[in-house]
Amino acid sequence: LRNSVKARRGKHLLTKSAATGESRVFFGNRATRVPLFSRDALAPGSMSSGPAIIIEYSSVTLVPAGWSFVVDPWGNGVLSS
């Protein structure tokens, strides 16, 4: 697995190559392949746009298309549309 991170204005844009895997997710009646990211591997400033799935030991976060995910300076995951 190859990791790739692009830096931009203090943010780390996650690319699909930084994903730990991929999963097929249904939105309505349509299946879409989305990247899986390990929450433990996301440093403050890491960000991605949806669709994506963020996986951690106690939960799973779905980032729908049209939404974005960023890890704030305190390590919190913040979703916005």
Side-chain angles (χ1 to χ4, degrees), residues 65-80:
W67 286 67
S68 63
F69 176 89
V70 64
V71 180
D72 72 13
W74 299 276
N76 300 304
V78 180
L79 287 164
S80 58

Side-chain angles (χ1 to χ4, degrees), residues 6-76:
K6 296 179 181 177
R8 181 180 181 192
R9 294 186 197 154
K11 305 282 186 193
H12 305 285
L13 300 176
L14 300 173
T15 63
K16 286 189 178 185
S17 62
T20 59
E22 182 178 83
S23 183
R24 192 170 76 159
V25 176
F26 283 85
F27 294 98
N29 292 327
R30 186 175 177 183
T32 303
R33 292 218 173 264
V34 299
L36 305 173
F37 296 102
S38 171
R39 178 69 178 84
D40 294 336
L42 302 180
S46 296
M47 61 186 297
S48 180
S49 58
I53 295 176
I54 312 298
I55 300 172
E56 58 185 311
Y57 74 94
S58 63
S59 67
V60 174
T61 303
L62 172 66
V63 184
W67 286 67
S68 63
F69 176 89
V70 64
V71 180
D72 72 13
W74 299 276
N76 300 304

